[in-house]
Amino acid sequence: MSVFEKLFESNYSDDSPIATIADFWKWFERHADLFYRAIDEGTDIENKFFSPLADQLYKLHERIFFLVGINKETNIAELTFTPDAIIRNIAFVEDLVKEAPQVEKWQFVALKQASDVEGFDVKMFGRDFSNKNIQFYPVEHPEFPDEIDIMAVYDDYDEKDHDDIFNGVCIYLDNALGELK
């Protein structure tokens, strides 16, 4: 590596290839403190946390996603790995978390957990999505009693923003229900 390359090298790159779950966790441990600070400070989080983690995770499996947040009461960062509705990837996510090392200030979770809808909301597209402005109603199909069908009603619905509202309601529902359980 030239002197020029060393000067401009990313803090997150290294020569170690990510070929196994163990490789991924070794890499993560080397950067855990930098990641925690980026999340806690909330500045340039895309470049300091999301992109480096996504790049390394992609080397291991291209269809695994993640969510992160810090519990302000415990100061523990919770990193949740999700197959994002791709059922065949659930086992990989579970194995990834099962092999996670103990890392100070970090907790690793397989699959999005259900959220308590009281006080839970999703903010996106300049809108709030919560149990205060979304109602769900069952749609029954007597000829298909095992089919699950619901209708969502968003209080501030505006047809011109249909796609944004639809996505916001789906993300709210996805996070409220969690995955698998």
Side-chain angles (χ1 to χ4, degrees):
M1 181 180 287
S2 73
V3 172
F4 182 77
E5 288 172 322
K6 285 186 178 186
L7 283 173
F8 295 100
E9 178 182 21
S10 164
N11 290 335
Y12 304 102
S13 67
D14 42 54
D15 298 327
S16 310
I18 303 292
T20 67
I21 290 174
D23 294 339
F24 172 79
W25 286 119
K26 286 176 191 168
W27 173 85
F28 185 91
E29 284 183 291
R30 287 193 300 273
H31 303 290
D33 290 338
L34 292 171
F35 290 160
Y36 185 91
R37 277 196 304 278
I39 297 161
D40 191 38
E41 294 168 1
T43 55
D44 200 22
I45 194 169
E46 182 68 35
N47 291 316
K48 292 179 179 178
F49 175 71
F50 285 111
S51 291
L53 185 65
D55 291 347
Q56 297 303 319
L57 193 56
Y58 184 84
K59 291 176 184 178
L60 197 56
H61 197 297
E62 63 187 40
R63 296 291 297 165
I64 303 301
F65 305 94
F66 56 92
L67 312 163
V68 70
I70 294 180
N71 181 322
K72 293 301 179 184
E73 293 175 15
T74 64
N75 291 320
I76 300 291
E78 183 176 286
L79 179 56
T80 301
F81 294 95
T82 172
D84 211 25
I86 302 172
I87 294 169
R88 69 180 176 274
N89 294 343
I90 289 174
F92 180 83
V93 167
E94 290 174 331
D95 289 344
L96 178 66
V97 171
K98 193 181 311 173
E99 292 186 38
Q102 293 291 103
V103 179
E104 187 177 352
K105 296 185 185 174
W106 286 91
Q107 177 182 356
F108 306 106
V109 178
L111 310 172
K112 288 184 254 183
Q113 304 299 301
S115 300
D116 180 2
V117 294
E118 287 303 319
F120 170 74
D121 65 334
V122 171
K123 293 179 186 347
M124 55 190 304
F125 310 119
R127 296 177 176 274
D128 288 336
F129 299 90
S130 73
N131 68 336
K132 292 176 178 51
N133 61 6
I134 304 172
Q135 293 80 44
F136 296 97
Y137 301 97
V139 178
E140 296 182 16
H141 301 280
E143 65 279 8
F144 302 104
D146 294 341
E147 185 172 313
I148 298 172
D149 192 359
I150 60 171
M151 176 180 293
V153 178
Y154 181 70
D155 289 349
D156 299 320
Y157 181 78
D158 185 339
E159 190 170 353
K160 72 178 175 49
D161 296 327
H162 174 80
D163 290 346
D164 289 349
I165 292 169
F166 178 80
N167 287 331
V169 169
C170 287
I171 289 171
Y172 171 82
L173 184 61
D174 183 46
N175 285 282
L177 294 177
E179 294 175 313
L180 194 61
K181 294 181 181 177

